[in-house]
Amino acid sequence: MLVQAVITIAAVLAVVAIILGFIFLKTTGGNGYLPYYPSAILFFGGIIVVCSATPQKIMIWEAGLGGWGIACLFAAGISFLVTSISHAYQVHDGKA
């Protein structure tokens, strides 16, 4: 049950970060690093949450703090990849 909750949380966070990255990519025209901020926030937030996980079970929506941190790190990695690929294609096509 824990694994399913972590994967679901990671999928939702990844989709939100990817959508925000696409919005920021279109508004900036491909200039700057603003599209990567949602992924960076997820990454650093995941590191903080994983490091603050305690042996006592603090459960939030069927996942502990370690699970939330892992979900944030997974979502950050996926959204970094998708955002960077779309950024590269936008710059290559000359739309930037």
Side-chain angles (χ1 to χ4, degrees), residues 1-90:
M1 191 62 130
L2 175 68
V3 175
Q4 183 180 4
V6 170
I7 290 173
T8 304
I9 293 166
V12 170
L13 289 175
V15 168
V16 169
I18 289 168
I19 290 172
L20 285 174
F22 283 159
I23 290 171
F24 292 153
L25 188 61
K26 291 298 179 184
T27 58
T28 61
N31 299 327
Y33 298 109
L34 185 63
Y36 301 108
Y37 283 1
S39 302
I41 290 170
L42 275 177
F43 176 75
F44 290 116
I47 293 290
I48 290 170
V49 173
V50 164
C51 290
S52 67
T54 61
Q56 299 173 348
K57 285 288 185 182
I58 300 174
M59 301 295 281
I60 303 170
W61 292 341
E62 298 183 10
L65 288 180
W68 274 89
I70 292 168
C72 287
L73 291 172
F74 179 75
I78 296 298
S79 60
F80 264 128
L81 287 173
V82 172
T83 304
S84 64
I85 290 170
S86 64
H87 188 204
Y89 276 113
Q90 184 175 4

